[in-house]
């Protein structure tokens, strides 16, 4: 009995221990990637319904090969945010996006831009604006080829700072996309008050519309309303011909999804966009 009392007290179950350990490992991987600028940025081509070509893309972050194998951004982005790493990471994504655009500009003139995902944590920091403009300037990229995706939940948490940022960036010709529309934080007033260029209808909503008549009606009416107030509409999660037919019939401008292309490593994305290898 005596021996037992001397053992360290631990309130953790094995599961909790594994969770904490994995999180710690991910933080270490992220720190190393920031230090070495060794993140990979994939680009998912976006289909433009009006021209039937790929003229846009979204930059999506990937970890390089690491001992944990594939780790989804859904898992590591929140960890980066909690650990003060999201700001340097976003600037590195922006830089790699500029390099990507630079190469595209050599090959095609039809191209209209690449969007980068921003996190709300970014705006807790000062001079985001100067930093963003400075990076774009370094690569001599026209401002209007860079687009920024933000979510509604971000606006709810840091409205004033983000509004300020958006109106200043908009003056420079940088467009904003409202990401994840329809995922639970939707507040129509943001769509009206904030100078967005495009609304991205979340994939969950697109998929639900296929199964559920009411959802289909809502998606159609919302898409029509956005169009009527002068916004562009993009539908995410396009995986089937059925998705295409429905979203086209709703008057969508852009389609993004595995049906057209998965997110691709830089060179493959360049080839796909330049040669317009539409599925
Ligand atoms: P998101 O911004 O909504 O990005 C779209 C996600 O949907 C991407 O997942 C993309 O690969 C996936 N997707 C696109 N088309 C389809 C489809 O047809 N079917 C299905 N099932 N999925 C599709 P990914 O790359 O795993 O990224 C997940 C999330 O992680 C992103 O969601 C975004 O919130 C975050 N994220 C990714 N890269 C960055 C980044 O550089 N910065 C920040 N702050 N967040 C990022
Ligand atoms: Ca996004
Ligand atoms: Ca999205
Ligand atoms: Ca999402």
């Amino acid at each position: 009995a005596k021996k037992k009392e001397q053992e360290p007290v631990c309130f953790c179950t094995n599961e909790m221990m594994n969770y904490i350990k994995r999180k710690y490992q991910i933080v270490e991987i992220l720190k190393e990637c920031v230090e070495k600028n060794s993140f990979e940025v994939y680009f998912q081509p976006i289909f433009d319904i009006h021209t039937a070509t790929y003229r846009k893309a979204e930059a999506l972050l990937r970890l390089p090969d690491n001992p944990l194998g594939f780790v989804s951004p859904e898992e590591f982005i929140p960890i980066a945010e909690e650990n003060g790493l999201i700001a340097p990471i976003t600037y590195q994504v922006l830089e790699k996006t500029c390099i990507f655009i630079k190469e595209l500009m050599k090959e095609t003139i039809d191209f209209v831009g690449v969007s980068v995902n921003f996190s709300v944590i970014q705006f807790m920091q000062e001079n985001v604006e100067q930093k963003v403009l400075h990076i774009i300037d370094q690569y001599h990229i026209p401002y209007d080829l860079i687009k920024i995706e933000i979510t509604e939940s971000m606006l709810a948490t840091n409205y004033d700072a983000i509004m300020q940022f958006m109106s200043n960036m908009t003056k420079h010709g940088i467009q904003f996309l409202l990401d994840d529309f329809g995922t639970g934080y939707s507040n129509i007033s943001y769509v009206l008050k904030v100078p967005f260029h495009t609304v991205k209808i979340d994939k969950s909503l697109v998929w639900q519309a296929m199964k559920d008549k009411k959802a289909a009606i809502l998606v159609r009416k919302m898409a029509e309303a956005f169009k009527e107030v002068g916004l562009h509409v993009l539908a995410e999660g396009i995986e089937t011909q059925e998705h295409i037919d429905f979203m086209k019939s709703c008057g969508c401008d852009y389609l993004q999804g595995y049906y057209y292309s998965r997110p691709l490593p830089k060179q493959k994305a360049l080839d796909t966009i330049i040669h317009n290898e539409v599925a």
Side-chain angles (χ1 to χ4, degrees), residues 186-252:
S186 306
N187 179 340
I188 218 81
S189 76
Y190 290 138
V191 182
L192 299 174
K193 267 193 266 177
V194 178
F196 285 110
H197 177 271
T198 299
V199 176
K200 297 187 77 168
I201 298 178
D202 194 70
K203 49 184 177 287
S204 60
L205 214 53
V206 173
W207 298 340
Q208 212 190 327
M210 296 297 107
K211 292 181 291 188
D212 174 353
K213 265 219 163 98
K214 284 185 190 166
I217 293 168
L218 281 176
V219 170
R220 179 184 303 284
K221 295 292 176 195
M222 278 183 327
E224 284 169 6
F226 290 145
K227 294 290 298 175
E228 243 181 274
V229 297
L231 289 156
H232 293 76
V233 179
L234 181 156
E236 269 187 353
I238 301 298
E239 293 186 347
T240 65
Q241 187 63 48
E242 200 192 1
H243 294 155
I244 297 173
D245 294 341
F246 175 68
M247 292 315 309
K248 271 190 182 171
S249 81
C250 294
C252 258

Side-chain angles (χ1 to χ4, degrees), residues 247-260:
M247 292 315 309
K248 271 190 182 171
S249 81
C250 294
C252 258
D253 303 287
Y254 310 106
L255 301 174
Q256 177 178 3
Y258 293 173
Y259 180 92
Y260 291 104

